[in-house]
Amino acid sequence: MRKGDMELARHDQEATEAAVAYLLTESLLMIRYLAAADGDRTVPVNRRQEQVHALADLCHNLPAWLDPTRRERIHEGIAFMWRTASPAKRKWVRQCWDAINYDYRWLLSD
């Protein structure tokens, strides 16, 4: 691998790890907000529970991909998450990644 290719691969790896960490952070913050007793009262409790479940379902496998023994294959974890996500979940992921300018176009070719 050429030096330029190695730098690109390292940047891509770091960006992907940061994108996963950002999703986890955003999902936990949103879950805490939705689960709060004084949460958004304009959304019915059962709808908030559905949203909490959707976020937890979407991100539950991601922490394992940040483990040092699996990080080199983190793209596999993201690809699985993407393939199994509903359109609404994908929309939320895209919004999160757009906020940090993560290039997820490689997932859209499926």
Side-chain angles (χ1 to χ4, degrees):
M1 185 179 279
R2 295 177 306 166
K3 184 176 180 179
D5 291 340
M6 288 173 39
E7 288 297 318
L8 183 59
R10 183 171 27 254
H11 171 72
D12 183 52
Q13 181 71 20
E14 291 172 3
T16 301
E17 290 173 11
V20 167
Y22 188 79
L23 276 184
L24 290 169
T25 301
E26 289 298 303
S27 66
L28 286 173
L29 289 172
M30 186 59 112
I31 287 169
R32 286 187 67 163
Y33 171 75
L34 291 167
D38 63 345
D40 187 350
R41 296 188 188 274
T42 63
V43 178
V45 172
N46 62 338
R47 178 65 183 130
R48 290 195 320 250
Q49 289 172 334
E50 289 172 12
Q51 291 172 322
V52 166
H53 179 28
L55 290 167
D57 182 58
L58 179 68
C59 296
H60 79 276
N61 286 323
L62 294 180
W65 290 101
L66 291 173
D67 183 282
T69 62
R70 297 181 79 190
R71 279 188 182 189
E72 65 189 29
R73 295 177 31 225
I74 199 167
H75 291 86
E76 293 174 26
I78 289 177
F80 177 78
M81 177 200 67
W82 188 260
R83 279 192 317 273
T84 60
S86 68
K89 290 176 184 177
R90 286 183 180 188
K91 179 181 178 186
W92 183 81
V93 170
R94 284 193 311 270
Q95 289 172 339
C96 286
W97 285 343
D98 286 344
I100 61 168
N101 296 316
Y102 176 66
D103 183 4
Y104 54 86
R105 289 177 295 178
W106 60 276
L107 291 166
L108 304 178
S109 61
D110 290 345

